[in-house]
């Protein structure tokens, strides 16, 4: 068999790891794929002379990959604009593409898949979601006998790393983020991680695949972990929850519920224990029921593992040419979601304040599931205040918003109210 000739763009954390893996495990891949995976060209706008690229030729121009001796272009440069051009050129020339670029696919996936379909070339994107977890393959192949009705999980390694470092080691947010950056987990612009954008892109890709639908990335409700403080984490723990950054997509008759946000997850649910850079994706199939996939969600080698898996599949001839989605699903707004909420209400420590808080909730028919209030004078020189922690029963989004705004206007409430959704995934997830 002739070798599969690989042209690779980008020598960052992931690109460097892919090169190493291709060179180190060459014999293994040849045996698995039945033909060699030959790295023939590498392009990187920043030269990295320290990286051994074997016998491949190097160029700083991405256009150097538009060459007759390249069968597949591996796009690992990140960003959208140059990556889109590179992928479009490759597909236009009849080359296969493997990419880890979730931003590109979340925004232009439909266009890229359509043009690949017209040209009859494959597009591999295992590495775009959940790092080293082979979730794309699981949804496409292992669960092919199912109608998938929900997916949920932790799909941003940086956010999970930060929340775990805050919860387990008491680190502050900025220190934990700096560590995640040093370890090569965070995006070039880490606001993509901590504001939930990266997770939203990944969830949109997973939902499109799971539900065979075109998903509008603009319809995903997005909140990140940047507003979570260590006190929320401690109170949540006391109440029997971990705070996780969750993505959730569920099929309804009239559209798709698709949201990413921090959530209190009961400690009785397995993913509450998934810590550090690990990701976890749950897929619920109508035949199999709940399934769970766990593994490292970011970092050079885990992501390279997914990139090379696509190359091995391509070499075997089993990486599919994308098909156009069966349907376009409208996203339901967050207003349509009912769920329990954690509220942290900073209140003056004096008689009657708690009664006023309870009165607001009672007037909106919000039932209280749990409460914590402890004396805690934490500001010297100012009026002492105490956090009142409340976990509600399920409440429609509009009602909880009204409650928070009325609570904020009470004379006894002294500052901003924290609100975090509670995700009871027990019906969808295997218990611990
Ligand atoms: N910044 C991403 C994360 C890397 O932290 O999950 C993998 O996409």
């Amino acid at each position: 068999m002739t070798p599969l000739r690989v042209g690779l763009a980008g020598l960052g954390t992931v690109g460097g790891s892919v090169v190493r893996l291709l060179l180190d495990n060459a014999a293994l891949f040849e045996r698995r794929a039945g033909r060699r995976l030959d790295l023939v060209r590498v392009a990187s706008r920043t030269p990295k002379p320290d990286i051994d690229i074997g016998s491949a030729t190097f160029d700083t121009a991405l256009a150097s990959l538009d060459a007759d001796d390249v069968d597949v272009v591996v796009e690992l440069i990140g960003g959208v604009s140059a990556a889109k051009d590179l992928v479009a050129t490759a597909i236009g020339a009849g080359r296969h593409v493997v990419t880890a670029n979730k931003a590109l696919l979340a925004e232009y996936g439909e266009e890229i898949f359509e043009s690949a379909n017209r040209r009859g070339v494959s597009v591999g994107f295992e590495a775009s979601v959940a790092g080293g977890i082979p979730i794309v393959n699981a949804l496409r192949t292992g669960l092919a006998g199912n109608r998938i009705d929900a997916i949920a999980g932790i799909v941003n390694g940086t956010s999970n790393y930060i929340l775990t470092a805050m919860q387990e080691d008491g680190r502050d947010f900025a220190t934990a983020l700096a560590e995640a950056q040093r370890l090569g987990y965070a995006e070039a612009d880490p606001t993509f991680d901590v504001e939930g954008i990266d997770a939203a892109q990944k969830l949109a890709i997973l939902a499109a695949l799971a539900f065979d639908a075109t998903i509008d990335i603009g319809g995903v409700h997005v909140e990140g972990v940047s507003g979570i403080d260590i006190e929320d984490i401690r109170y949540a723990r006391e109440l029997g929850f971990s705070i996780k950054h969750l993505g959730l997509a569920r099929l309804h008759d009239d559209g798709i519920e698709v949201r990413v946000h921090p959530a209190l997850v009961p400690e009785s649910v397995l993913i509450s224990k998934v810590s550090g850079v690990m990701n976890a994706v749950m897929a619920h199939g109508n035949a199999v029921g709940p399934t769970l996939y766990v593994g490292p969600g970011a970092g050079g080698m885990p992501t390279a593992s997914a990139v090379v898996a696509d190359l091995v599949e391509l070499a075997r001839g089993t990486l599919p040419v994308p098909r156009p989605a069966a349907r376009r699903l409208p996203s339901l707004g967050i207003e349509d979601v009912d769920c329990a909420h954690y509220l942290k209400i900073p209140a003056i420590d004096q008689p009657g304040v708690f009664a006023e808080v309870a009165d607001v909730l009672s007037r909106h028919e919000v039932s209280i599931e749990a409460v914590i209030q402890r004396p805690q004078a934490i500001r010297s020189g100012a009026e002492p205040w105490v956090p009142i922690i409340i976990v509600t029963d399920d409440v429609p989004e509009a009602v909880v918003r009204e409650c928070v705004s009325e609570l904020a206007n009470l004379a006894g409430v002294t500052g901003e109210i924290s609100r975090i959704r509670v995700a009871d995934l027990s019906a969808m997830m295997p218990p611990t």
Side-chain angles (χ1 to χ4, degrees):
M1 290 276 276
T2 54
L4 179 74
R5 297 166 302 174
V6 179
L8 182 134
L11 277 179
T13 310
V14 178
S17 300
V18 169
V19 170
R20 224 179 89 202
L21 199 53
L22 284 175
L23 298 181
D24 289 355
N25 287 359
L28 186 72
F29 300 146
E30 182 176 1
R31 166 135 190 85
R32 292 215 169 121
R35 59 198 280 215
R36 284 204 323 268
L37 302 184
D38 282 357
L39 182 65
V40 293
R41 288 176 183 267
V42 174
S44 165
R45 289 168 292 191
T46 314
K48 301 272 174 72
D50 294 345
I51 298 180
D52 172 13
I53 59 168
S55 58
T57 55
F58 177 82
D59 207 302
T60 51
L62 299 176
S64 63
L65 301 182
D66 187 17
D68 288 343
D69 60 356
V70 172
D71 300 315
V72 52
V73 170
V74 179
E75 183 279 302
L76 301 174
I77 57 175
V80 171
S81 172
K84 185 169 180 257
D85 291 345
L86 181 72
V87 165
T89 304
I91 292 173
R95 293 189 185 93
H96 308 287
V97 167
V98 169
T99 179
N101 194 329
K102 56 259 165 178
L104 177 69
L105 292 178
E107 210 170 326
Y108 295 106
E110 189 179 11
E111 184 180 325
I112 290 168
F113 291 161
E114 269 175 12
S115 58
N117 180 273
R118 277 196 305 274
R119 287 291 300 182
V121 296
S122 304
V123 178
F125 56 97
E126 183 65 77
S128 67
V129 182
I133 305 177
I135 186 64
V136 170
N137 201 289
L139 288 171
R140 209 181 53 209
T141 308
L143 296 177
N146 288 261
R147 189 192 66 238
I148 308 290
D149 38 48
I151 48 176
I154 299 166
V155 290
N156 183 262
T158 301
S159 298
N160 206 36
Y161 183 89
I162 292 171
L163 291 176
T164 306
M166 289 169 79
Q167 174 164 320
E168 306 294 328
D169 309 318
R171 285 221 259 302
D172 63 57
F173 187 93
T175 309
L177 172 58
E179 277 175 17
Q181 288 180 283
R182 185 175 48 76
L183 291 165
Y185 302 154
E187 295 301 297
D189 176 355
T191 57
F192 274 56
D193 297 295
V194 299
E195 300 304 342
I197 300 158
D198 176 88
Q201 291 165 342
K202 292 168 175 167
L203 187 67
I205 293 169
L206 283 181
L209 185 66
F211 307 140
D212 194 5
T214 300
I215 309 286
D216 172 19
I217 181 73
V220 183
H221 175 82
V222 187
E223 292 171 41
V225 295
S226 60
I228 302 293
D229 73 34
I230 211 147
E231 221 183 18
D232 295 319
I233 290 177
R234 290 195 185 121
Y235 281 119
R237 214 160 189 196
E238 214 170 300
L239 291 159
F241 297 94
S242 285
I243 298 185
K244 292 291 173 194
H245 189 254
L246 270 196
L248 197 145
R250 213 183 326 230
L251 265 184
H252 294 262
D253 291 340
D254 49 349
I256 175 182
E257 171 190 347
V258 51
R259 50 188 164 109
V260 300
H261 54 72
L264 272 69
V265 179
E267 278 168 5
S268 57
V269 172
L270 241 157
I271 64 163
S272 72
K273 310 278 193 283
V274 172
S275 58
V277 73
M278 301 299 267
N279 279 190
V281 181
M282 188 280 317
H284 192 280
N286 69 325
V288 68
T291 63
L292 179 64
Y293 310 83
V294 179
M301 271 301 168
T303 312
S305 158
V307 169
V308 176
D310 278 344
L311 291 174
V312 171
E313 259 209 278
L314 182 63
R316 281 179 180 147
T318 52
L319 189 70
V321 173
R323 280 180 297 103
R327 55 198 164 156
R328 182 172 289 275
L329 282 178
S331 304
L332 305 176
I334 193 76
E335 296 73 24
D336 296 311
V337 172
D338 279 20
C339 67
H341 282 78
Y342 159 101
L343 302 174
K344 183 173 71 189
I345 306 159
I348 298 170
D349 194 8
Q350 68 183 30
V353 174
F354 187 86
E356 285 177 9
V357 167
D359 178 56
V360 169
L361 297 176
S362 146
R363 276 189 290 103
H364 288 88
E365 296 185 357
V366 174
S367 171
I368 295 175
E369 185 73 17
V371 180
I372 301 177
Q373 190 200 314
R374 241 180 242 116
Q376 189 185 24
I378 61 167
R379 286 191 302 180
S380 57
E383 199 153 14
W385 60 277
V386 290
I388 298 175
I389 309 299
I390 291 179
V391 177
T392 70
D393 248 339
D394 283 358
V395 195
E397 178 73 18
V399 173
V400 78
R401 279 187 194 166
E402 271 172 47
C403 287
V404 168
S405 119
E406 283 185 33
L407 289 168
N409 286 331
L410 292 178
V413 171
T414 58
E416 207 176 313
I417 296 169
S418 317
R419 158 162 93 100
I420 309 173
R421 293 181 185 83
V422 177
D424 178 11
L425 299 168
S426 50
M428 293 161 63
M429 297 284 296
T432 47

